[in-house]
């Protein structure tokens, strides 16, 4: 069974940049079974929302709120997905969750990493 672990969160000033990482652990078979990988986020007292997703062959989709100032990428061999965020805003403050759906449609979530955008 694959597990996802996020890293890269922390405090960043408005206008700054950060890069989140999500690494999959498990058997080579389970890592190779990862199909779509995505990022979601949940701000305080708000529902979890979609941020970006990427397929195995690199097709991407972004939420309108982050389009143009974020980039999702992945390393299939390592089972890792990244989220580069630029020109961050206070409203980007949230817990960011990594999500993956396997080729057999099993959905996996990470534990989340907190991003705080503040002076």
């Amino acid at each position: 069974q694959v597990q996802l672990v996020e890293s890269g969160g922390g405090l960043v000033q408005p206008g700054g940049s950060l890069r989140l990482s999500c690494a999959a652990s498990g058997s080579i078979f389970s890592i190779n079974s990862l199909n779509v990988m995505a990022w979601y986020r949940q701000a305080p007292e708000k529902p979890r929302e979609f941020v970006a997703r990427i397929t195995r062959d690199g097709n991407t989709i972004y939420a309108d709120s982050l389009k143009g100032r974020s980039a999702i990428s992945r390393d299939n061999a390592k089972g890792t997905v990244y989220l580069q965020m630029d020109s961050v805003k206070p409203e980007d403050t949230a817990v960011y969750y990594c999500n993956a759906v396997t080729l057999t449609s099993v959905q996996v979530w990470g534990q989340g990493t907190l991003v705080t955008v503040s002076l």
Side-chain angles (χ1 to χ4, degrees):
Q1 184 175 354
V2 65
Q3 294 182 324
L4 303 175
V5 179
E6 302 96 335
S7 61
L11 177 65
V12 60
Q13 294 187 349
S17 298
L18 79 164
R19 188 192 196 204
L20 304 180
S21 300
C22 170
S25 63
S27 68
I28 295 297
F29 175 80
S30 62
I31 292 175
N32 288 338
S33 75
L34 297 176
N35 189 11
V36 178
M37 299 188 77
W39 288 94
Y40 288 75
R41 68 184 183 182
Q42 187 167 17
E45 300 182 359
K46 291 188 176 181
R48 192 172 298 187
E49 65 176 4
F50 168 77
V51 174
R53 58 170 272 182
I54 184 169
T55 63
R56 285 187 64 86
D57 56 5
N59 291 319
T60 59
I61 297 176
Y62 295 91
D64 288 342
S65 58
L66 282 159
K67 197 175 296 183
R69 58 187 186 93
S70 64
I72 187 171
S73 59
R74 66 188 285 176
D75 184 329
N76 289 332
K78 296 181 179 179
T80 303
V81 63
Y82 307 94
L83 182 68
Q84 175 72 35
M85 296 176 60
D86 301 314
S87 303
V88 296
K89 306 174 183 179
E91 50 263 43
D92 293 324
T93 295
V95 177
Y96 284 72
Y97 295 92
C98 180
N99 171 273
V101 180
T102 70
L103 293 171
T104 56
S105 300
V106 174
Q107 186 166 221
V108 185
W109 289 93
Q111 293 299 306
T113 184
L114 176 63
V115 172
T116 302
V117 182
S118 179
L119 293 173

